[in-house]
Amino acid sequence: MAKVPELFGCMVFNDQTMQERLPKSTYKALKKTIQDGAPLDLSVANVVASAMKDWAIEKGCTHYTHWFQPMTGVTAEKHDSFITPNGDGQIIMEFSGKELIKGEPDASSFPSGGIRATFEARGYTTWDPTSYAFAKDGTLYIPTAFCSYTGEVLDKKTPLLRSMERISTEAVKVLNLIGKTEVTRVTTTVGPEQEYFLIDKEMYDQREDLIYTGRTLFGAKAPKGQELDDHYFGAIKTRVAAFMRDLDEELWKLGILAKTKHNEVAPSQHELAPIFTTANIATDHNELTMEVMKKVAEKHGLVCLLHEKPFAGINGSGKHNNWSISTNTGENLLDPGKEPENNTQFLLFLAAIVKAVHEYQDLLRITVASAGNDHRLGANEAPPAIISMYLGDDLGALVESIINGTEYTSKGKVRMQTGVDVLADFKKDTSDRNRTSPFAFTGNKFEFRALGSALNIACPNYMLNTMVAEELSQFYDELKDASDLDAAVKALIKKTFTEHQAIIFNGDNYADEWVVEAEKRGLLNLKSLPDAVAHFIDKKNIDLFVKNKICSEEEIRARYEIELESYSKQINIEALTMIDMAKKNILPAVSSYVRELTDTALAKKALSDAIPTTVEEELITSLSNKLVCFSKKTSELEDAVIKAAEFDGNNLAQATFFRETVFAVMQELRAVGDSMETETSSEYWPYPSYGEMLFGV
Ligand code: ADP
Ligand code: MG
């Protein structure tokens, strides 16, 4: 491996490369666009494009692509080569500013939620200069935003970029008002921690459920699961370590700040965390990370599973979205400093976030809703479906004292004495961790923990940015004409904490009492995607997006339809896969095994009546009964899938039916199947077992 500092970002057309390769005036103009959002001129784009192309060719590229993030949840790319005929049968390699700025993929085959008909196929991708272009597999990748001919937003990135602008504008207004006049821009920063599973490719290839749906639809528990807690932070196995090393190297080349790696709670489960960066780049990088994980795994004969719940009865995978706001003067607005009680600026921003999370708890829930994540939220491993926030003991006590108007005494940082001379004493954090909270304050940032592992983080972040921008704009309006600003700010902080304290919860989010208590507080408990997404089009939510110019009402309604539709489609695929597995493999396998048992019993009887055949007979009876039930449940599932089609045209009713009926039958079918697996000889069972998959690497 080359030295890491040289390797890092070697495939990225980053700031350093731009400085080296662009004329000074071009570099300056581009930088102005990146930093201040100034519009970019075609003449500048032409110079940038040409330099990018020369650089890309040196990196082995022959093609370029506008890389975008449509509503499918995965990235999209179409590759064009640089070749241009020069008239004498030869070609030259060309790339113009126009090609850099604008692309025209056919928009008709991407989900649009009814905004676009197939006949109006035109869609545009537009270069996003705030995220660096990079070279990968012989192609120059240009990060872009995607919209339709008539300007409707068709992707996840545009709302994110708009929301970053919004929160910047509103935060700057508030900061300037309270005296921070030197701040001209504010950026949201994000560090997403990514969980994943690695299993052996040979086993994966034998499981159509994993291939088609990303999760196991059948599978009895292995004798050992995660109960010993011996995998979490455990020593990393050689094969996994080799994968991780390769992965780091590939990510570093792409300028991704891969920092931390470790084993997770479940067997075969791991985590990777990068160092945080701007929300926009973090989103692009997280999409790339997931893609590179899958590719590198394949090189090692492994498969990387990013589904939220690949294995029943074992922890699923999530993503922790660490989020903060910082100024162009280098200040983290969520850093409470040494004396948070005297830090009104911090308390004002904290109040805005508390109010935002309380008023838009449904949006935060919606943004993490997916068919896969439905398996996690509410189970004992992920935060519950109820959105609340954790401030920790110290900050919690401070907020309480503000509400009650009582004196606050900070405990401050406490010296931790290890009691062992060779170990240095160190300063303890003022608050312990609360791993059960969906939205936890962790020192100088909030950690939104309810995200599913496969989610594109653009959505949670554009929602967060937008709702906080909205609150800041309300704060500004309330404060701007105050005669005594200091008193007005303090009063506003107190009023906000008082009115929105219901969203703050520092206890155990897994406890049953919390469900009861949360209901008393009027908090929402939206258990599944259809329950949650139904609120997407509530008036207050549409107003939020329209007022802040993130999306139009039509676009929100389109997103609502897409979410519901894709949920139904996913469960439909799962149901069809189950039916296929049941009829073509499991039923015949168990039936063959029963025949072998019967043959054995008959052969024994033929030899002598004295030889006991009770074992065979008991198994034959048990499995035959289960087979009847299994076959009945399979037919029920077939009927349910047919019935679901009757809801075509009403996405909410259809998604609800899939959740309440189809999914319920799937669970029942699975229970019978898994119970047959425990009684069937592994020679006959058609699929690798949980034990083999989870402990096979
Ligand atoms: P943990 O204790 O949860 O491991 P870390 O400090 O290691 O916390 O950070 C976890 C993630 O949070 C990392 O990706 C890190 O880069 C990110 N992070 C740290 N500070 C910020 C910040 N100001 N804004 C956004 N993300 C941050
Ligand atoms: Mg974390």
Side-chain angles (χ1 to χ4, degrees), residues 203 207 219-220 222 311 677 682 685 687-694:
M203 295 191 203
R207 301 227 30 153
F311 304 100
E677 183 182 344
S682 50
W685 195 257
Y687 300 110
S689 70
Y690 265 34
E692 289 166 316
M693 284 185 285
L694 289 166

Side-chain angles (χ1 to χ4, degrees), residues 193 320 322 447:
E193 301 164 62
H320 290 176
N322 294 275
E447 185 169 353

Side-chain angles (χ1 to χ4, degrees), residues 191 193 271 273 320-322 433 435 442 445 447 449:
E193 301 164 62
E271 182 184 294
H320 290 176
N321 191 83
N322 294 275
R433 281 159 186 276
R435 299 189 20 126
T442 49
K445 61 188 186 289
E447 185 169 353
R449 299 211 184 95

Side-chain angles (χ1 to χ4, degrees), residues 32-234:
K32 209 166 163 48
T33 300
I34 295 172
Q35 281 172 347
D36 309 332
L40 196 83
D41 226 71
L42 188 61
S43 62
V44 175
N46 275 328
V47 179
V48 178
S50 167
M52 256 188 199
K53 177 208 65 188
D54 291 343
W55 171 84
I57 289 171
E58 285 167 32
K59 297 289 172 191
C61 295
T62 51
H63 289 67
Y64 71 92
T65 184
H66 274 202
W67 186 62
F68 59 106
Q69 301 176 22
M71 302 300 297
T72 50
V74 288
T75 55
E77 50 194 74
K78 174 188 90 178
H79 299 214
D80 283 302
S81 70
F82 292 125
I83 66 163
T84 310
N86 69 353
D88 61 2
Q90 306 282 35
I91 54 111
I92 46 167
M93 301 294 260
E94 263 189 351
F95 186 47
S96 69
K98 217 175 114 227
E99 287 168 313
L100 167 64
I101 290 180
K102 195 178 92 181
E104 253 185 86
D106 182 337
S108 62
S109 300
F110 292 103
S112 71
I115 290 187
R116 322 189 25 67
T118 316
F119 59 86
E120 10 175 58
R122 214 181 280 264
Y124 290 111
T125 48
T126 324
W127 177 34
D128 165 20
T130 62
S131 179
Y132 299 130
F134 55 92
K136 186 167 75 72
D137 308 325
T139 295
L140 169 67
Y141 280 72
I142 299 152
T144 60
F146 181 44
C147 63
S148 77
Y149 179 65
T150 38
E152 285 100 4
V153 177
L154 296 174
D155 71 348
K156 308 209 169 205
K157 180 158 209 169
T158 311
L160 177 65
L161 292 173
R162 288 180 180 167
S163 74
M164 290 174 74
E165 286 294 321
R166 278 301 296 147
I167 194 168
S168 176
T169 307
E170 295 307 326
V172 168
K173 270 162 58 187
V174 168
L175 287 168
N176 290 353
L177 183 71
I178 60 173
K180 278 268 160 74
T181 44
E182 66 287 6
V183 175
T184 54
R185 202 165 173 81
V186 152
T187 320
T188 40
T189 52
V190 172
E193 301 164 62
Q194 177 72 48
E195 291 180 340
Y196 60 96
F197 277 88
L198 282 181
I199 65 164
D200 195 278
K201 172 100 169 51
E202 264 177 46
M203 295 191 203
Y204 172 89
D205 285 339
Q206 295 171 53
R207 301 227 30 153
E208 55 197 290
D209 46 4
L210 285 177
I211 294 172
Y212 295 139
T213 73
R215 74 179 182 103
T216 52
L217 299 169
F218 289 103
K221 270 202 179 109
K224 179 179 188 246
Q226 62 194 46
E227 54 282 87
L228 296 179
D229 287 330
D230 54 353
H231 194 255
Y232 190 56
F233 280 22

